[in-house]
Amino acid sequence: MDSFLFSLNATMPVFLVIVLGYVLKQIGMFSEEFCSVANRYVFKVALPVLLFRDIAQTDLYSDFDLTFVLYCAGVTSLMFFGIWVLALKLMKDKSMVGAFSQAAARGSAAVMGIAFVENIYGNAGLTPLMIVAAVPLYNICSVIILTFSANGGQHGRDDIKKACINVLKNPIILGIFAGLPFSLLQITIPTIPLKAIESIAATGTPVALLVVGAGFEGAKALARLKPTVIASAVKLVILPAVFLPLAVYLGFRGAEMVAILIMLGSPTTVSCYIMAKNMGNDGELSTSIIVLTTLLSSITLTGWIFFLRLTGLV
């Protein structure tokens, strides 16, 4: 029961802010222009600053585990590109491929990882290493997939060059890599700029959630019900079922297993909508998957944590 209540406390506030965004749009308080501006602000300013702060304040030298880092990086690449290949082969509507592939693979690792592990073990353990190994690849893989899937997947000769350029100039990726020197060199950010950074970072998640809710369109979401349900099943159930046994085989236990579970089975992150919308992909499908995985994750994560405890892995 404690695990279930914890999961509800972690996911339901997120869902309620999304609902608030939807309501505010319906009553006319949020206009299309406001949502468009807020969308760009989150993508270009708030989320990059949030990830910069998280990485810059992480001690990467503490308990460094190369096997753990390689596992997180390798599994992240496999699940992104594996889902993308299957979606390209199986989805009839190619305009959905990019949004589906990103949302089915990309979870709230940075947002939920440390919170879950600290709640169970009292410290973050190897979660910061998981964030450094997985989150940059989340964004790199997403940029590549969304670039090649934009405008219904009509590719040109310059797509590879465009994908590389998009990776290099993506604000979220720039925020992550800007934070690495501060972490690796253990540079302390002075108090005044740090407080300003924290203030900006604090706006990232709530504004993004409000924009996701405002962008939710019920009729269009129902038209995308089947890919939404499939992507949610992949994100919350299939990926953990496929990759957790490998983690067990490699000897990961305790906090490492919880961090891996969050990497694999956490609800789809809100930045999926922000990136899909800004890169010419299906924003409505992204929103639907975010809403459904957020709603169901309190049940699935509780089930996975119960299973891991029952088997003595956490």
Side-chain angles (χ1 to χ4, degrees), residues 135-148:
V135 172
L137 282 172
Y138 277 10
N139 290 277
I140 291 170
C141 294
S142 294
V143 169
I144 293 171
I145 290 170
L146 293 174
T147 298
F148 280 90

Side-chain angles (χ1 to χ4, degrees), residues 23 32 66 107 121 124 140 175 218 238 241 262 267 298 300-301:
V23 171
E32 289 289 347
L66 180 61
Y121 291 99
I140 291 170
I238 295 175
I262 297 304
S298 60
T300 56
L301 282 176

Side-chain angles (χ1 to χ4, degrees), residues 61-101:
Y61 289 106
S62 177
D63 300 324
F64 183 81
D65 186 331
L66 180 61
T67 303
F68 182 76
V69 170
L70 292 176
Y71 171 87
C72 292
V75 166
T76 296
S77 301
L78 280 174
M79 64 185 186
F80 265 92
F81 291 112
I83 292 171
W84 186 29
V85 169
L86 289 175
L88 283 170
K89 289 182 176 294
L90 300 177
M91 293 190 78
K92 294 180 180 179
D93 188 346
K94 301 306 179 186
S95 67
M96 295 185 183
V97 168
F100 177 91
S101 302

Side-chain angles (χ1 to χ4, degrees), residues 14-15 18 103 209 212 228 232 267-274 285-295:
V14 173
F15 183 73
I18 292 174
L209 293 173
V212 166
T228 297
S232 300
T268 301
T269 179
V270 65
S271 54
C272 280
Y273 168 80
I274 302 298
L285 177 58
S286 300
T287 299
S288 299
I289 297 170
I290 290 167
V291 170
L292 187 58
T293 55
T294 299
L295 186 60

Side-chain angles (χ1 to χ4, degrees), residues 7-23:
S7 297
L8 283 179
N9 288 333
T11 57
M12 287 309 294
V14 173
F15 183 73
L16 291 175
V17 177
I18 292 174
V19 172
L20 176 62
Y22 176 79
V23 171

Side-chain angles (χ1 to χ4, degrees), residues 3-272:
S3 295
F4 181 68
L5 290 175
F6 170 73
S7 297
L8 283 179
N9 288 333
T11 57
M12 287 309 294
V14 173
F15 183 73
L16 291 175
V17 177
I18 292 174
V19 172
L20 176 62
Y22 176 79
V23 171
L24 293 176
K25 177 68 182 300
Q26 297 306 305
I27 65 176
M29 186 170 290
F30 284 179
S31 65
E32 289 289 347
E33 182 181 1
F34 170 81
C35 292
S36 178
V37 171
N39 208 345
R40 293 198 303 273
Y41 164 76
V42 171
F43 181 64
K44 295 184 177 181
V45 180
L47 285 180
V49 171
L50 172 63
L51 289 168
F52 166 80
R53 182 202 64 183
D54 288 346
I55 299 300
Q57 294 186 316
T58 296
D59 182 7
L60 296 181
Y61 289 106
S62 177
D63 300 324
F64 183 81
D65 186 331
L66 180 61
T67 303
F68 182 76
V69 170
L70 292 176
Y71 171 87
C72 292
V75 166
T76 296
S77 301
L78 280 174
M79 64 185 186
F80 265 92
F81 291 112
I83 292 171
W84 186 29
V85 169
L86 289 175
L88 283 170
K89 289 182 176 294
L90 300 177
M91 293 190 78
K92 294 180 180 179
D93 188 346
K94 301 306 179 186
S95 67
M96 295 185 183
V97 168
F100 177 91
S101 302
Q102 180 193 207
R106 185 175 183 178
S108 303
V111 175
M112 298 186 67
I114 291 177
F116 261 79
V117 175
E118 285 186 341
N119 183 73
I120 296 172
Y121 291 99
N123 60 75
L126 295 183
T127 308
L129 280 182
M130 180 271 288
I131 293 173
V132 171
V135 172
L137 282 172
Y138 277 10
N139 290 277
I140 291 170
C141 294
S142 294
V143 169
I144 293 171
I145 290 170
L146 293 174
T147 298
F148 280 90
S149 302
N151 303 315
Q154 299 301 313
H155 305 151
R157 291 186 303 174
D158 294 331
D159 278 346
I160 295 178
K161 179 180 178 181
K162 182 180 178 182
C164 293
I165 293 173
N166 283 339
V167 167
L168 293 174
K169 70 179 185 180
N170 182 274
I172 295 174
I173 294 175
L174 291 175
I176 291 170
F177 283 102
L180 285 176
F182 288 85
S183 177
L184 294 173
L185 301 176
Q186 298 182 335
I187 299 172
T188 301
I189 303 174
T191 302
I192 293 176
L194 179 60
K195 287 186 176 181
I197 289 169
E198 289 178 341
S199 296
I200 296 169
T203 67
T205 299
V207 174
L209 293 173
L210 289 171
V211 171
V212 166
F216 183 74
E217 299 183 47
K220 292 183 179 179
L222 287 175
R224 294 162 170 79
L225 184 59
K226 184 177 179 180
T228 297
V229 171
I230 293 173
S232 300
V234 170
K235 186 72 202 73
L236 300 177
V237 179
I238 295 175
L239 290 178
V242 170
F243 291 110
L244 281 177
L246 176 59
V248 175
Y249 175 77
L250 291 174
F252 299 127
R253 299 290 187 273
E256 302 145 26
M257 285 297 293
V258 177
I260 289 169
L261 172 62
I262 297 304
M263 181 186 78
L264 296 170
S266 60
T268 301
T269 179
V270 65
S271 54
C272 280

